[in-house]
């Protein structure tokens, strides 16, 4: 597992002007994009050649060249880009975080790591790789919470080749989004976990009980089915979470021991900057970071205002 708690305090770093920083970040981002694009093209070309010509030497050259471009060009550029952004803008990030959610406790009281994610079982499919970034713990309107950007993956072996006689190993992403933990937020008698059943989701109204059961499995901590505990208020909360943005899709929601844990597939990035943002726009980076903190505040408001957390149907 790779877990990173961002170090915002760069000591002895030479400060750059916005113009200088824009130019440097833009060059790293451009180099990263070119490395990824060319690498993907070469790997895909190699896969096509495998089915068309079956020339092992050519296939190996194309695939290894594609991987090399990623490892030697794209990945180093990505690391330099992130390091420079933290070095130059880290103080601003820390100030805005503290302003929004107060000082962070050391050590964390609501950690989000491999051990916790494994125990919480937010995904019904077991993961073999886990990346946690931008973990932060704070307080919002008296509510103690923690949040992080999380990606869960698993290694899959499957048959491949023209005669289906070869084995290929690939990495499959199970979850990419945010995980949020909230303390002392719900009725202590509640014991229910909702998990996505990975059925095709179109525009079903999941406030309808039948549609909800199609897309989510409900169970208690000891594994018993808990469909009878899924109230209209809980279905309404899930519906609101999924309509909070165009990309949002619930992976898991656990209400247990007065705590709430939420895993939401989304392109939203908490306390960070999305990959697609043009890093030459330094003011845009600052505005996006502040907006990401406001987005977390709105999400927490949506959760705390839901009557689903009281354990009643009224």
């Amino acid at each position: 597992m790779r877990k990173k708690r961002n170090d915002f305090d760069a000591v002895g770093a030479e400060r750059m002007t916005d113009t200088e920083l824009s130019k440097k970040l833009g060059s790293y981002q451009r180099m990263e994009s070119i490395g990824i694009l060319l690498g993907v093209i070469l790997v895909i070309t190699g896969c096509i050649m495998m089915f068309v010509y079956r020339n092992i030497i050519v296939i190996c050259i194309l695939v290894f060249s594609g991987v090399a471009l990623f490892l030697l060009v794209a990945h180093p550029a990505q690391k330099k880009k992130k390091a420079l952004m933290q070095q130059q803008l880290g103080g601003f990030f820390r100030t805005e975080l503290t302003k929004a959610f107060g000082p962070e406790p050391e050590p964390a009281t609501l950690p989000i790591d491999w051990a916790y994610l494994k125990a919480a079982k937010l995904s019904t499919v077991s993961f073999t790789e886990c990346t946690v970034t931008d973990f932060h713990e704070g307080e919002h309107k008296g509510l103690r919470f923690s949040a992080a950007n999380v990606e869960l993956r698993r290694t899959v072996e499957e048959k491949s080749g023209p005669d289906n006689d070869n084995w290929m190993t690939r990495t499959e992403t199970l979850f990419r989004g945010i995980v949020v933990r909230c303390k002392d937020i719900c009725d202590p008698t509640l014991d229910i976990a909702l998990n996505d059943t990975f059925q095709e989701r179109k525009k079903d109204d999941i406030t309808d009980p039948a549609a909800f059961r199609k897309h989510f499995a409900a169970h208690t901590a000891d594994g018993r089915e808990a469909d009878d505990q899924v109230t209209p208020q809980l279905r309404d909360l899930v519906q609101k979470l999924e309509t909070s943005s165009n990309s949002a899709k619930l992976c898991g929601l656990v209400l247990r021991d007065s705590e709430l844990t939420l895993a939401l597939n989304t392109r939203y990035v908490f306390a960070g900057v999305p990959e697609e943002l043009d890093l030459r726009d330094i003011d845009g980076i600052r505005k996006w970071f502040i907006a990401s903190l406001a987005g977390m505040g709105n999400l927490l408001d949506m959760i705390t205002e839901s009557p689903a957390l009281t354990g009643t149907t009224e």
Side-chain angles (χ1 to χ4, degrees):
M1 178 192 74
R2 292 170 290 166
K3 177 184 176 182
K4 182 177 74 174
R5 187 171 189 146
N6 287 333
D7 180 8
F8 292 108
D9 304 317
V11 180
E14 182 181 348
R15 308 314 299 174
M16 302 172 68
T17 66
D18 282 6
T19 302
E20 293 171 334
L21 183 57
S22 171
K23 184 177 179 180
K24 199 68 175 176
L25 286 176
S27 66
Y28 285 146
Q29 190 174 42
R30 186 165 56 253
M31 191 182 304
E32 178 190 6
S33 299
I34 292 173
I36 292 175
L37 178 61
L38 292 179
V40 169
I41 290 174
L42 288 172
V43 170
I44 292 176
T45 303
C47 293
I48 294 173
M49 294 284 286
M50 179 175 63
F51 289 97
V52 177
Y53 296 107
R54 301 189 187 183
N55 189 322
I56 300 299
I57 296 177
V58 174
I59 293 169
C60 290
I61 291 174
L62 289 171
V63 172
F64 287 139
S65 297
V67 173
L69 275 171
F70 175 77
L71 294 177
L72 302 178
V73 177
H75 187 60
Q78 183 185 65
K79 290 180 65 176
K80 290 177 181 178
K81 175 192 72 178
K82 291 182 177 180
L84 181 62
M85 187 158 52
Q86 292 302 326
Q87 180 194 78
Q88 297 295 320
L89 298 175
F92 169 81
F93 294 159
R94 172 59 63 194
T95 298
E96 293 301 322
L97 261 169
T98 304
K99 189 190 303 182
F101 304 122
E104 297 192 48
E106 290 289 351
T109 62
L110 294 171
I112 297 173
D113 52 21
W114 178 297
Y116 179 75
L117 294 169
K118 202 77 171 178
K121 296 181 180 178
L122 294 168
S123 173
T124 54
V125 181
S126 298
F127 59 88
T128 55
E129 297 179 40
C130 171
T131 303
V132 179
T133 57
D134 301 303
F135 169 82
H136 299 288
E137 182 175 337
E139 192 170 293
H140 176 71
K141 298 180 180 178
L143 172 69
R144 174 60 57 179
F145 80 98
S146 65
N149 302 308
V150 176
E151 184 173 333
L152 304 178
R153 300 172 298 276
R154 68 169 179 169
T155 300
V156 179
E157 287 191 351
E158 58 186 15
K159 289 187 175 182
S160 63
D163 299 321
N164 211 31
D165 54 356
N166 297 321
W167 284 94
M168 179 179 71
T169 301
R170 62 180 178 87
T171 300
E172 180 180 68
T173 299
L174 301 172
F175 171 81
R176 183 187 291 120
I178 56 169
V179 172
V180 181
R181 292 184 66 181
C182 299
K183 187 177 182 180
D184 299 326
I185 189 176
C186 63
D187 190 318
T189 63
L190 284 174
D191 174 16
I192 184 170
L194 301 177
N195 293 111
D196 185 6
T197 58
F198 297 102
Q199 299 294 318
E200 184 179 0
R201 192 88 49 88
K202 294 182 179 178
K203 292 186 178 180
D204 293 356
D205 178 10
I206 54 178
T207 59
D208 176 71
F212 192 89
R213 285 193 296 271
K214 174 185 176 183
H215 295 298
F216 295 99
H219 54 83
T220 60
D222 57 6
R224 290 180 290 110
E225 290 187 1
D227 287 336
D228 58 327
Q229 294 189 43
V230 180
T231 63
Q233 290 78 14
L234 186 55
R235 292 194 294 270
D236 182 65
L237 173 60
V238 174
Q239 181 82 55
K240 286 180 178 178
L241 289 169
E242 294 211 338
T243 56
S244 61
S245 73
N246 292 331
S247 63
K249 182 180 178 185
L250 185 70
C251 177
L253 175 65
V254 180
L255 301 174
R256 189 173 294 141
D257 299 327
S258 301
E259 285 194 12
L260 174 147
T261 303
L262 166 72
L264 193 66
N265 277 293
T266 177
R267 289 194 297 271
Y268 158 78
V269 178
F270 169 61
V273 179
E275 293 293 331
E276 60 269 22
L277 187 69
D278 186 353
L279 299 186
R280 294 172 297 179
D281 183 1
I282 306 303
D283 279 339
I285 294 175
R286 296 189 181 101
K287 290 176 181 177
W288 189 279
F289 187 88
I290 294 173
S292 77
L293 304 184
M296 178 56 64
N298 293 336
L299 178 64
L300 294 172
D301 287 340
M302 182 190 304
I303 294 171
T304 54
E305 292 168 4
S306 171
L309 306 183
T310 63
T312 66
T313 57
E314 295 297 326

